[in-house]
Amino acid sequence: MTVIEEPEVDHVARLRSGRGVLRMSEVVAAEHGERLADEDDETMLVNMGPQHPSTHGVLRLMLEMRGEQVVRSKPIVGYLHTGMEKTAEDLTYLQGPTNVTRMDYASPFFTELAFSLATEKLLGIEVPERAVWIRMLMSELNRISSHLLFQATNGMDIGAVSVMIYGWRDREDVLRFFEKVTGLRMNHNYIRPGGVAADLPDGWRDDVLHLLDQIPPHLEDLDVLLSGQPIWRNRLQGVGVISTAEALDLGATGPILRSTGYDWDLRRDMPYLAYDQVDFDVVVGTFGDCYDRYAIRLNEIRESIRIVRQILDRMPAGDYKIQDKKVTPPPRARIDESMEALIHHFKIFTEGYKVPEGEVYVAVESPRGELGCYIVSDGSSKPYRMHVRGPSFVNLQCLPHMMVDGLIADTVAVISSVDPIMGEVDR
Amino acid sequence: MGDPLYAGGIGLTVVLVTLLKVLVTFVLLLVATMFMVWFERKIVADMQHRIGPNRAGPWGLLQTLADGTKLFFKEDLLPDRADRIVFRLAPVLAVVPAFLAFAIVPIGGNFAEGGTVSMFGRETFLQLADPPVGVLFFLAMSGIGVYGVMLAGWSSGSKYPLLGGVRATAQIVSYEAALGLSLASVILVNGTLSTHQIVAEQAGAGFGGIIPNWNLVVTGVVPAIIFLIAGTAELNRPPFDLVEAEQELVGGFNTEYSSIRFALFFLAEFMNTVTMSALVVTLFLGGPSGPVWGPEPVRTWFFPIFWFLLKLVVFLFVFVWFRGTLPRLRYDQLMDLGWKALIPLALGWFLLLGAVRVARNEGWNLVVTFGAITVVVVVAVTLLNLSLRAAQRQRLADAEVNA
């Protein structure tokens, strides 16, 4: 077989030229839609979303199409805007995680973690060893559940509907563990400045071990059903290709950047928590296509399982939150005995604790990429300004560049492979 | 040789028997469709670790009836921009051929002894009609069925249905060809277009007295597989359900349909599934033929119908299995598979069967014949490959010029 050489493409030039980007306001598009088609009009505008089965919530796309082929496209966001960043300015640092956890609802621990790390950096406190490892345990389990959710939705979008249930099933088991630990399946408000809300429950180790034994065989099933499946490969390989240069220019992070072959993972390159003490590989792709992004996420589940096993071995004993009573509330029993404890409790839950003036940015590697939290403090007990760098929001920028010249079925595959969580996009 | 029922002229009994057969076929197809919807939902649920319908009736058997009743009482919406007449006509165009196509399927009859049953003292075939062009009739009906889908997409006055309608046209035109070519192999081997005759040809023991004399074996498996794949595409079932493709086209051609009109499309699709499975059984697996034992009514009534239903359920399961396992193909890949794989393969196999047949009739040396066939096939595949590659190179060059 002779290999047909593809024409060389200057990716950066392609990006700068803005090919594939539809620059048209929604108003004009709506008027265009009302008009009867021109005779010589070869393209048509198709509105995809916000009510569409595969736009992952309320993403809206304006597609300019020639037949089934996408010529240009424009993602429109904002349908889930709830003003969480503004709300954060009216909430104390203690209430903060309750707010941010609702942003990325598929991986809530990461936003809580980013917020808490930023606050702790401002406070200049170190959390106890056990809290660090509990945070890591929950983060990695959350990465597993989030990637399982991706496998589920990706499978469904490509038409392998059974995979949706398979992914959902395992994710549900992980969420059940979260519920046991935090009391809630989602929106946990578990990781808080100063540590975590509660210690791990009795029997947590068995529960986690059970999960770790149960998930890998199911990943093998996915390999059989999808990875080697010719239809699946045809649908994803070479679809939604993006180069390293383009991804870097667009600010894409996470599996999208790694799929292009760029080896970048905050857990390894800018370690936080105790990631420098565990052993794991960063999964990197080659072609920057949807298949690479699928495979990266599948294998990241395996890497996370590896990390969780190490965490199980090395989980230290000790406090799960710092004993600085200005930051974390005293135990319930102490309030009945000690006047001071009662005062601390009252102060923390009414006006909160004061955080020194300053500004800080902390980033963690969420399942979707670099999740950063930027906080400006004016010395009061509430942030002066809080901003979250949502990876989904930045990654969405890649859509028009990945969709250009694809078919409408590829559009669905591309959206799916970006794995956006609209709650985090719109905040 | 037609149905012996009509051999003695048309009398009252003949008319009554025919009417009875019409009624039974109609009811049977409806019940089978109801069962199929339930069966599909139950099996897919099992494959996906769910329970599936279990509220309406025992094991949820009446779920389809409940859904149909609900849909019947829903508001019937007519989109503003729809072509009113065509929009209303389309579901009917989809359903009627689906009903008619089932008429040619033999569902019983003891094929060891002529394939007839005795009804009110009259010998007759256990199938509604046995036209001499039975197989062509089926192709015609499935061809007309496309109009329902295509016109539904076109008349909705909306973009997603339009895309679905366009996909339907292209898909069915392509796969009808592959379907027809694989059918041609059967017709070549059996030498008849009548479904009853085709079943009769397959009755009895084949090679070695153990392997059944089914067309599946006689035509060499390939046409049966092509027929199954092309049939799945013809039915718009997964993995070829691009016409509806919920994740892409939000339901495709039936996006704008509601109420009973939607239910009609749904009904037509599942009736077609039942008919297609029945056709596969008839054409390749010997229909109702099979070993029979016992006294008279059991012998001619029970066993043939039992064998037919058993084989039917196997293929219904296969269709459900496809749905539970495979991701959906993309539009261009579907076309590639149809035109570059199935059609050449079906045509090649047809020619091969023809050559073998001629060789046997003329008494040629079989080794030489096979050698010649192999050479021809290799040359043809190479030429086809070369031309495909040249076309691809040309396209890439064009893309470079345009870019």
Side-chain angles (χ1 to χ4, degrees), chain A residues 1 4 45 47-48 52-54 68 156 158 162 165-166 169 229 234-235 239 407-408 410 412, chain B residues 47-49 159-160 167 246-248 250 324-330 332-333 389 392 396 400:
Chain A
M1 288 274 279
I4 296 153
L45 274 180
N47 182 50
M48 191 170 174
H52 187 284
S54 34
E68 284 243 352
M156 182 176 67
I158 309 300
S162 296
I165 309 282
Y166 298 157
R169 174 186 54 179
Q229 225 282 338
N234 280 335
R235 279 299 304 275
V239 169
L407 298 176
I408 195 161
D410 295 337
V412 173
Chain B
M47 288 177 176
Q48 300 178 343
H49 302 265
K159 285 165 188 169
Y160 286 114
R167 282 180 175 192
E246 191 194 326
Q247 287 83 12
E248 296 154 25
V250 214
T325 317
L326 296 174
R328 183 183 302 115
L329 271 84
R330 204 170 59 198
D332 56 330
Q333 291 161 356
R389 216 169 295 167
Q392 195 176 357
L396 279 177
E400 205 166 3

Side-chain angles (χ1 to χ4, degrees), chain B residues 69-325:
Chain B
T69 317
K70 183 206 78 173
L71 279 171
F72 195 79
F73 288 111
K74 286 275 177 183
E75 186 187 355
D76 184 20
L77 293 169
L78 189 76
D80 228 18
R81 294 190 183 177
D83 186 314
R84 308 178 77 87
I85 297 168
V86 182
F87 188 80
R88 291 195 172 117
L89 179 71
V92 180
L93 266 182
V95 164
V96 171
F99 267 118
L100 292 181
F102 195 72
I104 58 154
V105 176
I107 48 181
N110 182 4
F111 278 86
E113 294 150 22
T116 56
V117 293
S118 165
M119 249 193 241
F120 307 108
R122 302 285 185 127
E123 288 290 310
T124 178
F125 293 165
L126 205 53
Q127 74 188 82
L128 182 53
D130 180 34
V133 290
V135 175
L136 289 185
F137 177 77
F138 159 72
L139 283 179
M141 284 305 121
S142 72
I144 292 174
V146 188
Y147 278 100
V149 173
M150 193 193 83
L151 291 177
W154 175 79
S155 68
S156 293
S158 169
K159 285 165 188 169
Y160 286 114
L162 180 67
L163 284 172
V166 172
R167 282 180 175 192
T169 327
Q171 178 174 340
I172 306 241
V173 164
S174 320
Y175 279 80
E176 195 97 320
L179 197 77
L181 281 170
S182 63
L183 267 179
S185 300
V186 174
I187 295 163
L188 179 79
V189 168
N190 292 147
T192 174
L193 287 168
S194 141
T195 46
H196 188 268
Q197 285 295 317
I198 288 175
V199 174
E201 288 279 333
Q202 299 176 72
F207 185 74
I210 307 160
I211 300 165
N213 194 27
W214 294 344
N215 281 336
L216 178 71
V217 184
V218 177
T219 59
V221 184
V222 173
I225 291 170
I226 294 174
F227 189 87
L228 193 62
I229 295 174
T232 315
E234 186 89 6
L235 293 170
N236 300 324
R237 282 187 58 88
F240 304 106
D241 58 339
L242 289 95
V243 172
E244 334 187 355
E246 191 194 326
Q247 287 83 12
E248 296 154 25
L249 302 184
V250 214
F253 69 96
N254 61 29
T255 306
E256 303 290 349
Y257 279 88
S258 59
S259 182
I260 195 68
R261 288 186 216 288
F262 171 76
L264 284 182
F265 278 120
F266 194 76
L267 191 68
E269 188 186 319
F270 278 87
M271 275 199 293
N272 280 329
T273 310
V274 174
T275 311
M276 190 61 82
S277 308
L279 245 297
V280 177
V281 170
T282 307
L283 295 173
F284 293 100
L285 284 141
S289 70
V292 290
W293 300 277
E296 185 43 37
V298 180
R299 206 176 159 73
T300 49
W301 281 93
F302 173 74
F303 273 108
I305 294 179
F306 172 75
W307 290 127
F308 174 75
L309 289 180
L310 188 71
K311 294 169 187 174
L312 186 69
V313 167
V314 168
F315 277 96
L316 291 179
F317 178 78
V318 168
F319 282 128
V320 178
W321 196 9
F322 282 167
R323 178 176 158 186
T325 317

